[in-house]
Amino acid sequence: MIKLTNVTKVFNKNRPNEFTAVRNVDLEISGSSITVFKGPSGSGKTTLLSLIGCMTKPTTGRIYIREEEISSLSDRFLTDIRRKTFGFIFQGLNLIRGITALENVMLPGYPTGETNCILRGKAIHLLASLNIAHKAESKVELLSGGEAQRIAIARALINEPAIIIADEPTAHLDTRLSIDFMDNMEKLKNSGKKILLASHDPLVYASEIVDRIIEMRDGLITKEQA
Amino acid sequence: MLWIERQRYFIDFALSSLMRRWRKNIALVIVYTLVVFILASIVFFTQAIKREACTVLEGSPDIIVQRLVAGRQDLIPARYADELRKITGVSEVRGRLWAYYFDPASSANYTVISTERPGRDEGCVLMGQGVARSMHAGKGDLIAIRGHDGSYQSFEVKDTFSSGSELVSADLIEMSGKDFRGLFGIQEAYFTDITMKVRNAQERTVVSRKVLNILPDTRPILRDEILRTYETAFAWRSGILLIIFTGSILAFLIFAWDKATSLSIEEKREIGILKAIGWDTGEVIVLKSWEGLIISLSSFLAGIIFAYIHVFFASSTIFEPVLKGWAVVYPRFRLVPSIDPYQITTLLFLTVLPYTIATIIPSWIASAIEPDSAMRL
Amino acid sequence: MIIDPAVIALFTGSFLVSLIILIASWLGLQIVMFWNLQCGSEKQLELEKWTYLVSTLMAYAFGFEILSLFLFVYTTDSLHNLFIGAMCAAGTLNTGTFGYHTLGIKILILILAGVWLVMNHVDGQAGDYPLIRKKYIFLLVIAPLVLLEGFLQSAYFLSLKADVITSCCGSLFSSSQTYGESPLSLMIGFPAGYLQAAFYGSAFLSSGLGFFYYRGFNKLGWFFTISSTGFFLISVFSLISFVSLYFYELPTHHCPFCILQREYYFIGYLLYGMLFGGVISGAGAGILSPFRKIGSLQGPLPIVQRRLTMTSLFLNFFFVAIVTWQMWHSNLVIDR
């Protein structure tokens, strides 16, 4: 379902600060599973995830999502695929301060033009399934770390994506909340979603729900274990 | 429908994002409103005063014939009127008497006219509100006017003109023909000038050509010409004022550009998040355009409303001296409120257009933030 | 030179629109030269971002061109008092040089910019920017016209001189200015009978072509473009030559501007709006037909084309309907 052939991403090409973040990566990920990208910071995990997540285009190489070659698509189409296929959970959670939790969850649905009552209903349903519905009208800056984490998960799910991408999701969480997070991921996996995680937290990559671990260093895939 | 729903979301979000940063936006809105207010005041004022002049001239004669002696205006003999009556197409010819009178007590210039209206009693005058104010005279009072021989004659103020058309009648004193001639020493056989009515509008030029043929020492003036001259003068004045204010518009634009380009870290972060969670560059531009539009429209509306109040209810206190610049007798008058899409479009071109163009590129730069920047925060 | 707030506004407007069109075409030129979607280089990514800027700039330019056309007509109309013999915009435009040229080029730019936006919209419907070079070359054609518009408009306003009283003389000497023959009078001179036939003939032809084109006869694309444009031109002619008479109910008043006034319930805005909408959507629909062969446009293009054709047919139909209704119910009787 996801296929990368010989993908390379270079930043600042032909300039003194030229930097190759990902080099010659070949990769295939299929089925509902949890894949963890493991490696030290600067190893290219984040860049690889943003390439897969259609956030940026490869300098060379091809990326296929559901048999469709995406590296030569227009920006607008890429965005369209991104919001229909992927849900993102970021390291810093990246919630927008000053608006309510509910609005944050609904935000990815705005450009799709879904009617307000359907979108709102979906958001409330998601919040309820994550046991956080009582915080729907709170401003996000007033939420605890664990609550904010669950809001971020709900936001990633609002457009019903097939693939969840999470970059260092447990970086700011304590052990209990990290375990909590992995439980939620397991639920999602069981509901048929494909999950891609980047992490160097043993709580994540050593978890028994993980199906596949890909180790990275200096933009290269160094080791794989299933 | 999908499109409308999307725009509703964008407007909602734009509003909430403006509110969240109201501290940054309030200064912009105030300056913007002020600029619109100034320009709108100028435009409204000129338009209204032009309209006023038109209304005034509506009742004035089609052609005025003056006599020139050695290149200067002189009294016109009454017999000239008989000559003019012979021209075909002329429906009415009438001699007029009018004068300027400088009143040393109130140190102001008034216009004195005589009318041959029946029932105009000798020894009585009618006066405009402006005259009444500066002479401190009201109905029933006696006023003294200095005649050509140095003696003062007193007149009873019979009434004052209604304030409706004050712009024209403000400095007016009206008296009977006999009093006028007595006061200024003008013989029966002379008038100040002669007025003519020509029924067919297209014949006016031909008639005035004939006047010149019959009476070579006269100068015929068409009403249309007076109108045209007034209009040019007012348009010119307001145009010049606008050009003077170009500087302040430019300053405003630089301010707006600066506001639009200097995104706070928080704003950049938000746009990065929006991009990352699935907003397209085009959609962020739409969001930013709505923000700009909301700022523009609210400031524009506020500016227009303030200007409207300023011009039509507060007598344009700020610009009066520059734009009117006539006599000292015109302290207070109220213009008839009028506003049309033409003035609004003009103002849009002078304010919203430059603002919008100044902010297109900054908002595009903001929206072009890479979506993966959110991954690296 | 006449200094008036509206004239200054028009100057400002044309200067700023020229500026953004210049920026847009400079970016467009870069895109035409260096575009390569297959390549993932940073330059290409940069160019892709620019396409958004160009679209935004053009959308605004189009909006301001509409307003500028309105303001231009309105300004010339309100300035008519300043000139002897000018009764409305028609007279003012004939005063000074390039009045009608400015109006003409404004209309042309409006139509072209509308068609450009249609093309841009279609291009955005496909995943791989199939029309990118074509639309930016088209943009490079529009840009000089906008600059020319700015030049003609400035020349026109600079050449205007109000007939005002000078201290030395009164009326007679100021009427010595003579003006050339108005292009309108040429249109008025056209025999109304033939034109009436041409008006209904072209309406019939254009709607017939549009109908078949809508039903899938793609070969008719260019013909539909030509017939829509033809209908537009003939309609403008007709409006001046005979349609206006029925609105004014005067046998000799041919002015194309007076119907914009309140006395005629602003009907002119509706009529001209429908004509412009009709020609932009009609010409746009037809011009796009050669691009149906492009793979990525095979899905979305026919949908857009059908919508445009439908819009054009509707607008033209209502235009003809209103005009015909007015001719039927007007109190004016013209003897032939």
Side-chain angles (χ1 to χ4, degrees), chain B residues 59-309:
Chain B
S60 80
D62 300 325
I63 303 174
I64 297 170
V65 182
Q66 300 174 335
R67 183 176 173 224
L68 294 183
V69 174
R72 297 175 58 227
Q73 202 201 324
D74 203 359
L75 295 174
I76 193 163
R79 65 183 157 81
Y80 276 26
D82 303 328
E83 297 288 321
L84 294 174
R85 272 190 201 100
K86 289 179 195 154
I87 300 172
T88 45
V90 177
S91 56
E92 197 185 293
V93 176
R94 208 174 258 199
R96 275 201 319 191
L97 285 171
W98 58 271
Y100 291 131
Y101 169 70
F102 180 76
D103 178 41
S106 52
S107 63
N109 249 316
Y110 305 122
T111 307
V112 184
I113 60 167
S114 93
T115 43
E116 301 301 336
R117 252 180 265 173
R120 170 74 64 248
D121 301 334
E122 284 173 31
C124 289
V125 293
L126 293 177
M127 58 170 56
Q129 304 272 356
V131 187
R133 267 194 301 271
S134 59
M135 278 191 164
H136 304 291
K139 197 174 165 181
D141 291 347
L142 283 179
I143 56 163
I145 298 177
R146 191 175 183 272
H148 69 286
D149 51 2
S151 65
Y152 281 89
Q153 296 182 32
S154 60
F155 296 91
E156 187 195 337
V157 180
K158 211 174 172 198
D159 207 352
T160 54
F161 297 116
S162 68
S163 54
S165 60
E166 211 185 308
L167 183 56
V168 214
S169 62
D171 74 333
L172 223 53
I173 299 177
E174 202 181 308
M175 58 177 65
S176 73
K178 191 149 184 275
D179 285 339
F180 188 96
R181 289 182 191 282
L183 192 63
F184 295 104
I186 294 173
Q187 294 165 17
E188 280 290 330
Y190 288 95
F191 287 107
T192 318
D193 50 26
I194 295 175
T195 66
M196 302 166 75
K197 270 195 186 148
V198 180
R199 214 172 276 127
N200 187 345
Q202 280 159 1
E203 270 182 34
R204 281 175 201 152
T205 323
V206 182
V207 169
S208 55
R209 216 178 278 273
K210 283 184 186 163
V211 173
L212 259 190
N213 280 338
I214 302 169
L215 306 166
D217 62 341
T218 60
R219 166 170 76 178
I221 296 169
L222 291 167
R223 180 184 57 196
D224 298 349
E225 282 180 313
I226 303 176
L227 208 62
R228 214 175 289 141
T229 309
Y230 270 139
E231 212 157 286
T232 321
F234 281 124
W236 187 82
R237 274 182 187 214
S238 64
I240 292 295
L241 259 188
L242 286 184
I243 292 170
I244 292 169
F245 278 106
T246 316
S248 66
I249 297 179
L250 275 179
F252 160 65
L253 289 181
I254 292 167
F255 181 65
W257 167 278
D258 183 59
K259 283 274 172 193
T261 39
S262 61
L263 290 182
S264 64
I265 295 170
E266 186 63 23
E267 265 178 293
K268 278 191 191 141
R269 179 178 163 270
E270 279 184 17
I271 294 169
I273 295 171
L274 291 178
K275 293 291 289 280
I277 60 175
W279 287 45
D280 178 39
T281 308
E283 284 148 3
V284 181
I285 292 180
V286 171
L287 175 73
K288 286 270 145 198
S289 307
W290 277 119
E291 284 184 15
L293 208 65
I294 291 167
I295 289 194
S296 279
L297 289 186
S298 42
S299 318
F300 190 73
L301 208 65
I304 294 267
I305 291 171
F306 288 144
Y308 191 88
I309 294 169

Side-chain angles (χ1 to χ4, degrees), chain A residues 16-158:
Chain A
N17 53 348
E18 182 176 315
F19 165 64
T20 308
V22 169
R23 53 183 96 215
N24 306 62
V25 168
D26 290 295
L27 184 68
E28 241 186 284
I29 304 168
S30 56
S32 73
S33 59
I34 297 184
T35 307
V36 176
F37 294 87
K38 184 183 151 192
S41 57
S43 60
K45 299 178 306 239
T46 303
T47 307
L48 193 62
L49 283 186
S50 58
L51 282 167
I52 294 171
C54 301
M55 284 187 173
T56 177
K57 291 185 193 182
T59 310
T60 57
R62 299 253 172 270
I63 300 176
Y64 300 86
I65 310 265
R66 292 188 180 129
E67 319 287 284
E68 192 172 3
E69 206 272 301
I70 59 150
S71 30
S72 61
L73 279 180
S74 75
D75 241 19
R76 187 200 291 249
F77 268 61
L78 217 54
T79 314
D80 204 48
I81 290 176
R82 180 162 85 237
R83 66 176 164 231
K84 283 181 183 147
T85 318
F86 298 97
F88 295 91
I89 300 161
F90 308 97
Q91 181 175 357
L93 297 182
N94 281 344
L95 298 176
I96 291 187
R97 289 189 275 264
I99 60 176
T100 66
L102 187 66
E103 284 171 305
N104 261 291
V105 174
M106 288 165 69
L107 216 45
Y110 286 180
T112 63
E114 196 150 24
T115 57
N116 195 293
C117 66
I118 293 180
L119 193 60
R120 184 171 288 266
K122 259 165 57 176
I124 289 172
H125 183 75
L126 278 172
L127 290 174
S129 71
L130 290 160
N131 297 323
I132 189 84
H134 57 287
K135 293 283 182 187
E137 297 300 330
S138 315
K139 295 258 158 69
V140 288
E141 57 269 33
L142 304 174
L143 300 179
S144 71
E147 288 165 341
Q149 175 73 267
R150 279 181 273 172
I151 301 296
I153 296 174
R155 183 179 66 184
L157 295 173
I158 188 79

Side-chain angles (χ1 to χ4, degrees), chain C residues 114-182:
Chain C
V115 173
W116 192 90
L117 286 176
V118 167
M119 214 166 149
N120 188 39
H121 173 74
V122 169
D123 195 34
Q125 298 291 304
D128 56 352
Y129 298 106
L131 304 179
I132 192 125
R133 282 214 163 75
K134 295 181 184 70
K135 77 180 180 193
Y136 286 118
I137 290 170
F138 184 20
L139 175 60
L140 292 175
V141 174
I142 300 177
L145 290 176
V146 176
L147 298 183
L148 184 63
E149 181 210 331
F151 169 75
L152 288 177
Q153 184 176 286
S154 314
Y156 170 62
F157 283 123
L158 288 172
S159 75
L160 286 184
K161 207 170 161 299
D163 297 319
V164 296
I165 307 176
T166 45
S167 62
C168 62
C169 58
S171 69
L172 303 180
F173 307 96
S174 54
S175 62
S176 57
Q177 266 176 295
T178 50
Y179 311 118
E181 199 176 1
S182 154

Side-chain angles (χ1 to χ4, degrees), chain C residues 17-248:
Chain C
V17 170
S18 301
L19 188 73
I20 61 176
I21 290 277
L22 276 181
I23 298 174
S25 32
W26 186 78
L27 297 174
L29 189 65
Q30 303 275 308
I31 292 171
V32 169
M33 291 197 301
F34 300 116
W35 185 263
N36 179 6
L37 198 57
Q38 297 307 314
C39 165
S41 70
E42 280 167 21
K43 176 79 182 168
Q44 171 63 24
L45 296 184
E46 192 68 16
L47 290 179
E48 224 179 317
K49 285 184 190 169
W50 287 0
T51 62
Y52 286 98
L53 180 56
V54 178
S55 305
T56 315
L57 289 172
M58 284 301 285
Y60 279 114
F62 180 70
F64 288 127
E65 278 294 330
I66 294 177
L67 280 179
S68 143
L69 181 62
F70 165 79
L71 188 61
F72 182 73
V73 170
Y74 216 124
T75 307
T76 49
D77 196 64
S78 82
L79 290 178
H80 79 263
N81 280 339
L82 302 182
F83 308 101
I84 290 175
M87 307 299 274
C88 69
T92 315
L93 283 173
N94 214 23
T95 319
T97 45
F98 297 133
Y100 278 102
H101 301 83
T102 312
L103 181 67
I105 202 164
K106 272 185 192 291
I107 292 172
L108 181 66
I109 289 171
L110 192 63
I111 295 172
L112 291 180
V115 173
W116 192 90
L117 286 176
V118 167
M119 214 166 149
N120 188 39
H121 173 74
V122 169
D123 195 34
Q125 298 291 304
D128 56 352
Y129 298 106
L131 304 179
I132 192 125
R133 282 214 163 75
K134 295 181 184 70
K135 77 180 180 193
Y136 286 118
I137 290 170
F138 184 20
L139 175 60
L140 292 175
V141 174
I142 300 177
L145 290 176
V146 176
L147 298 183
L148 184 63
E149 181 210 331
F151 169 75
L152 288 177
Q153 184 176 286
S154 314
Y156 170 62
F157 283 123
L158 288 172
S159 75
L160 286 184
K161 207 170 161 299
D163 297 319
V164 296
I165 307 176
T166 45
S167 62
C168 62
C169 58
S171 69
L172 303 180
F173 307 96
S174 54
S175 62
S176 57
Q177 266 176 295
T178 50
Y179 311 118
E181 199 176 1
S182 154
L184 294 181
S185 53
L186 298 174
M187 297 190 191
I188 295 163
F190 221 79
Y194 289 116
L195 202 53
Q196 216 157 351
F199 176 65
Y200 283 105
S202 68
F204 186 72
L205 181 72
S206 178
S207 51
L209 281 172
F211 177 73
F212 283 111
Y213 185 52
Y214 181 77
R215 296 298 295 269
F217 288 84
N218 300 329
K219 297 233 165 62
L220 297 175
W222 276 109
F223 292 104
F224 186 53
T225 300
I226 294 166
S227 73
S228 311
T229 317
F231 175 73
F232 173 77
L233 292 174
I234 291 174
S235 298
V236 172
F237 260 84
S238 307
L239 210 64
I240 296 164
S241 164
F242 65 89
V243 174
S244 54
L245 304 182
Y246 293 96
F247 280 98
Y248 303 133

